Amino acid sequence: MALWSGRFDQETDEELKKFTESISYDKRLYRYDIAGSCAHVNMLAAQGIVPEKTAGAIVGELKRIEQRIADGDFTFTAELEDIHMHIEHELIKALGDEGARLHSARSRNDQVALDIRLYLRDEIDAIADMLRNLQKTIVDLANKYRTAILPGFTHLQHAQPVLFAHHLLAYVEMFNRDFTRLQDCRQRFNVMPLGSSALAGTTLPIDRDAVCRELKFDDISRNSMDAVSDRDFIIELLSALAIFAMHVSRMSEDLILWSSREFDFIELGDAFCTGSSLMPQKKNPDIAELSRGKAARVYGALVALLTLCKGLPMTYNRDLQEDKEPVFDAIDTVKKILRVYPPMLASMAVKQEKMLAAANDPELMATDLAEALVEIGVPFRNAHHRVGAFVKWCKQHNKQLCDTTLEEMRQTIPEATPAFLEMFSPSKSVEKRETPGGTGPQSVDKQIRFWQKNLSL
Amino acid sequence: MALWSGRFDQETDEELKKFTESISYDKRLYRYDIAGSCAHVNMLAAQGIVPEKTAGAIVGELKRIEQRIADGDFTFTAELEDIHMHIEHELIKALGDEGARLHSARSRNDQVALDIRLYLRDEIDAIADMLRNLQKTIVDLANKYRTAILPGFTHLQHAQPVLFAHHLLAYVEMFNRDFTRLQDCRQRFNVMPLGSSALAGTTLPIDRDAVCRELKFDDISRNSMDAVSDRDFIIELLSALAIFAMHVSRMSEDLILWSSREFDFIELGDAFCTGSSLMPQKKNPDIAELSRGKAARVYGALVALLTLCKGLPMTYNRDLQEDKEPVFDAIDTVKKILRVYPPMLASMAVKQEKMLAAANDPELMATDLAEALVEIGVPFRNAHHRVGAFVKWCKQHNKQLCDTTLEEMRQTIPEATPAFLEMFSPSKSVEKRETPGGTGPQSVDKQIRFWQKNLSL
Amino acid sequence: MALWSGRFDQETDEELKKFTESISYDKRLYRYDIAGSCAHVNMLAAQGIVPEKTAGAIVGELKRIEQRIADGDFTFTAELEDIHMHIEHELIKALGDEGARLHSARSRNDQVALDIRLYLRDEIDAIADMLRNLQKTIVDLANKYRTAILPGFTHLQHAQPVLFAHHLLAYVEMFNRDFTRLQDCRQRFNVMPLGSSALAGTTLPIDRDAVCRELKFDDISRNSMDAVSDRDFIIELLSALAIFAMHVSRMSEDLILWSSREFDFIELGDAFCTGSSLMPQKKNPDIAELSRGKAARVYGALVALLTLCKGLPMTYNRDLQEDKEPVFDAIDTVKKILRVYPPMLASMAVKQEKMLAAANDPELMATDLAEALVEIGVPFRNAHHRVGAFVKWCKQHNKQLCDTTLEEMRQTIPEATPAFLEMFSPSKSVEKRETPGGTGPQSVDKQIRFWQKNLSL
Amino acid sequence: MALWSGRFDQETDEELKKFTESISYDKRLYRYDIAGSCAHVNMLAAQGIVPEKTAGAIVGELKRIEQRIADGDFTFTAELEDIHMHIEHELIKALGDEGARLHSARSRNDQVALDIRLYLRDEIDAIADMLRNLQKTIVDLANKYRTAILPGFTHLQHAQPVLFAHHLLAYVEMFNRDFTRLQDCRQRFNVMPLGSSALAGTTLPIDRDAVCRELKFDDISRNSMDAVSDRDFIIELLSALAIFAMHVSRMSEDLILWSSREFDFIELGDAFCTGSSLMPQKKNPDIAELSRGKAARVYGALVALLTLCKGLPMTYNRDLQEDKEPVFDAIDTVKKILRVYPPMLASMAVKQEKMLAAANDPELMATDLAEALVEIGVPFRNAHHRVGAFVKWCKQHNKQLCDTTLEEMRQTIPEATPAFLEMFSPSKSVEKRETPGGTGPQSVDKQIRFWQKNLSL
């Protein structure tokens, strides 16, 4: 018994509709589809392709449909495949033959290329605002904890003391690059594809520049075949979002580490942690963990789009319908993160004494000794070796670096001066790093003011 | 004005719930969660950890809850996070303190590890059946078009004539490997994790083997920490599904090529094609295109899971909650493809004359000439060179290979016999390839019978 | 017997060196490492951190080392791990203590961040030039075959006739976006990281702006912790290269299709095809196939870098050493493609008659009929239905669209005029699509001139 | 000036060779190519297709070539493209026409399908042995540190005390699944493709079963078209290796955390750490970091192969040449990790007091209290709430859980008995978890003995 033997039946029909429909997810484009149709029909009227009166009626009805969809007063059905067909069908139902004039000089190929650009433009603007808000939150924290010092890590090992504010501002830099990548992407794709029709342009006397102006694009697309088959901008956007998600995964890792009993540098607000169904004492940094994990789906979306487009011949292929769900999911994911991250950060209690205690490890000042030797003329490599030997000596004699006498220090660092004995303070170490971009208080202050100004705090 | 300034408020609360909840997608696990709970509480009773009567009441109520969810008579809310909490909450609402005994000796960590395994076991079985059905459909087609010949392609260039049935059966082989990969995956993960509790096992005197037997697992997990942090099996499954999706993308590519005006080897049923919103004459192989495109999201899901698990410390981390949506989507996608592919293939009209005409190109028999030379003792490389020279000679003299005289042929192939002139027939060429696995009619017949038997057609 | 039992031995030592060394691949950075060191030591001298004379000696010796490496007169060894240590080691060997002064106020963390930026800047410039050359080659072809017409495809089905030049220019658009993405990436990362030292900046009085100017960066990095842990720019670059590789995979797919016996639109030069070890008659488009396939490794490199950075805590972690091989491979791959693609395209014989014959299918003009009806006032949807009915009528009566009489046409298209009978010519169809971006000869001519000017042909 | 203007020249020729050659990497297959050729020619002789004497001469010469390649006494050149052509060319150079008989009834398509399988079979066996060795090393460690206790983590928060041995054995489980995945993969692809020829089989009377037996395959491939286009097994292998690399990334994360100053649970041997070029005091766990990072390239290789195969039509396409470098790199990477990981683990100093001190946190025993309540009849959810209230009470009164009196405890846990006051010992907590798979000493002992037996320690 083969399931599909004989003529295929009702059930298959149903399956086929489910397989090909996109209305279940592309309905979110409705506003943009309608905005595009309004601009299109206004242009058709101005060009004499449809009567002015018809255009007026169509625009009016489209606005009504938009309102109905916004109000939840509109029925979607897999029968009508996609958002374009739903709206046009409703229009024709309302206006009859007059409604049937809308789709002149247009194909769903260029229509969807328009809709998705309009949609992504808005989403990028929304995400950019949220990114700015995230940056502001972090700058506020940096400003609030200006004097807190913690160990800076490389290889997850203590390296040198740094200002907590400096550490925080590193993330502001990352998110700023994310912001600029979004702007570049937006600018590159802000090009109006309508008028490309199915692939070859149209024989009707349209005015693409008029539509371009009405919809606030920077330019019209130059080649109709490219315009209907191009999905570069989705890949580029997903790549920018993937890098952002990677940054979030890194910051989350820091937050999770700092929240551990072992580090104990911070405590996230109760609202951003959850308990255990079994262990009554647990307080887990779930929001940070989920945020770290969500990089996974954004990466997945990027790979999906790259895979989708690989090896497709020109021009439009139905495969391209699969472009939407991944990018919708990535956008939703990024926005979700951007909604919870700022309040989570703001909820953070900073345990400054714990941080300082961790930084108050004389070994972290070893580099300062080496650089002090350079200042008095010892070649750096030699200075490095001497301080290395000093660290080893202390280990062997079971002493802290700061507990040695000058004589002891001079056994390995003959050039040591009494000033060397004063170097084992995290705050002094930090204060000496005032070159631009360094962790010195003035340098960090300058960074904070730069960002306050740039983000208009 | 910072969106999140001050204490975070109602809106944030809402966002947080949306961020952490999984009920919107893990509710599909409800049957498995209940089956697991029933087995668990039966064991608790048998071990004297809960009274027999309590266990009976819990099982009864769980069945009622299951029925209500199946009937759509159950309200889900982000408040209660996940399917586990929903069901336990409802149970306690109904049974009070008796219901509160269920979660003894269990954590959500091992509970979800159990649920997902039970769920995937069922889904793998369903997909395996559908794969078998797809194979049957293809074998039926191969059997139906036993004598059809088309050009076999390498590099999308004509290579040698092959039986259409032989080409089709190549896909049966691929889908068979997919089938066996699913079986291996299922067998490897069919191990019972319950009793691992949060990560360390439990202090209560449970009987894991009893639960194992009731839920039809092959064995119990050997290490509790591994059991709650292992998501290997999801990655392995996604990898098997990704390979299947790749196979579908290849078969779809063939179908799309064959449906083109240029190839014109087949015509897919109208129901599996769609028209154009602009071009009235179009008949597009949309189902095949979408099927090809859907490889993208399955690949994306695989990358998502690999990314998710990378670098996580032991044991359970909340990131792992993100394991479900990608695998659910991949499973749904694969099942959708498996529902439409068999009827689409069955709908295919095969244009045997067109295929044969394309295969009836004397150049495709060039290899046969070379092998005939080998049979009479010419070293293969020399034979290959001679036939190459013959092909070139024909090109230069603007002749088809089959239109030469013996004398002409002997200018480049001195050993040619009159039999060589008879070699330019696709059917003769095919008939000579009867070694096992070759495209000869008897060899292909043997393959067909092998699959008919194996698939119990 | 355990391989590693007891103390680990010589063999392990060897393995460890192999595991950690990067010299086998990072030696390609030598020029940039030396340029960075020269700028660094010049600044150190200007700031009085090292004597002028020492700086001069160091620069002189570094130039000698550069020349020796360029000449192949330099021995690399896993002992010395990476290119930085090789060069500094050689410097100290030559200059003794004076050489040991170079590494002052610097760490390998900021050093490699500098080197890789200098390197990528050069590679981007080289690739950008090659992209321009590829675009020129295509524009030349478009110009050469200005009048050739072929069927435009959607869904790999004939859609409407288009100019071959128009099809080609679509690829020029894609490659242009690739070009601009590279520029954006270059601009974003053209920021000078040196002076960030290990992670916190330095206590020595350096002048970062001087180094910035000498090495032609646009600005200095603002945050030292970010500067040593940032690998965004590699991911962004790989993403741009992946999109380019995707474009190449699509163009290659077109070329492979067109080279098939079935399409037979073009013939690639013999040098860009290969034969078969078995089948003497084969001519395979290997270069196009390999180019299509090479998208795979570029995608792989992108995924590798995204994976690498996921979840890393601040700041530098040794994992980041794994950033280089993927980006080196992607750059090499893209440059290889860019070297062979232009001459391959130039070698292409275009079979204009075959293309035109394929386009000369009256069904491809169906859209023109529908748009003609719109021009005389029929609402588009109605026009679309009428032409659809006409196509169906012709199929049923086994007639070509162009072979009907006006009466026959009017059975389904009552508004048809005698002009409708003249519409079934590919060249007329193309000529009517003169709106901007369309496939009309003047529109395409404008595109060609735009690109000739922009690419300074 | 266009780089490629005019006829393409010498330089292009060179580029083309570089573009298409595979000898630079496929030479590593030489042993397998020769083994396959020997089996092939022996069969040809047995079937009378080549003279016995010729076969003997060919086998002799092939062995000489193998020895020369092994000795480095063989020149490779891009002229001869790949390893197959190199060896056949050398053979013909030595034996003339007799050597030219080898390639009868064979194509490079089935030849490379054979070679890669033979190669991967050996590599899988080598990796499987190394995996076993890694498991043994870990079991040895578990055995050595049988009594060490550390906090078990979920969400990187202390959860419950566990035996260090139990934590280690979790990794043995993971690596065991990796081992079985490799076995499944090997078994699935251990099928002999030779005789498939280019794609259709051969007209010569070969004996595929003889070759199958000589080369120790389990079966012959059933369909020639599938056999030459199948690369499933490479993807499956890469997927198994990617999961292994993910496991390594997780274990490395643990090691890096444990090596941090904050955790301070272990110290890796000096040989497995490196210092800093700037900071004299640093000791970084570089090998663990690099091992974590190397997951990136294995994931990348998997994505590359999936991308490569997506959407390819049947049968062999030149794209498939790109299958080798990713899998070679992944294999080399995994073997490198497997060489350094066992001695790194063996070098680890375990700081048992530090571990125990961290585990000696009364909150970690909260679950034990709750389960004790269940044992005396309190429903679990109520027990959980009571213990939660107790934890809160202690926080508010700034007391450790273990420092309360029975009266204090009874304020929130009315059922508490004096025995409850004795529960705050990590070792007692561990000892109570003796259900199978739990962290109890006997349970862990059983696991150790299981693995010792299974791994024949």
Side-chain angles (χ1 to χ4, degrees), chain C residues 277-343:
Chain C
S277 72
L278 172 63
M279 298 169 286
Q281 86 286 3
K282 289 296 292 289
K283 182 177 168 185
N284 301 322
D286 293 80
I287 304 292
E289 290 174 279
L290 281 167
S291 299
R292 180 177 61 187
K294 281 181 190 297
R297 65 200 301 156
V298 185
Y299 286 19
L302 172 59
V303 168
L305 259 285
L306 282 166
T307 303
L308 188 68
C309 295
K310 186 245 167 184
L312 289 187
M314 288 271 260
T315 55
Y316 182 83
N317 299 279
R318 186 68 182 263
D319 316 52
L320 294 179
Q321 175 174 320
E322 292 281 317
D323 63 346
K324 284 177 210 68
E325 283 172 288
V327 72
F328 290 172
D329 188 71
I331 284 173
D332 292 348
T333 299
V334 164
K335 287 168 82 177
K336 274 187 196 171
I337 293 172
L338 283 164
R339 272 192 208 102
V340 300
Y341 229 82

Side-chain angles (χ1 to χ4, degrees), chain B residues 154-155 261 282 289 361, chain C residues 154-155 261 282 289 361:
Chain B
T154 59
H155 308 259
R261 184 66 62 99
K282 290 296 292 290
E289 290 172 279
D361 170 352
Chain C
T154 60
H155 307 259
R261 184 66 64 99
K282 289 296 292 289
E289 290 174 279
D361 170 352

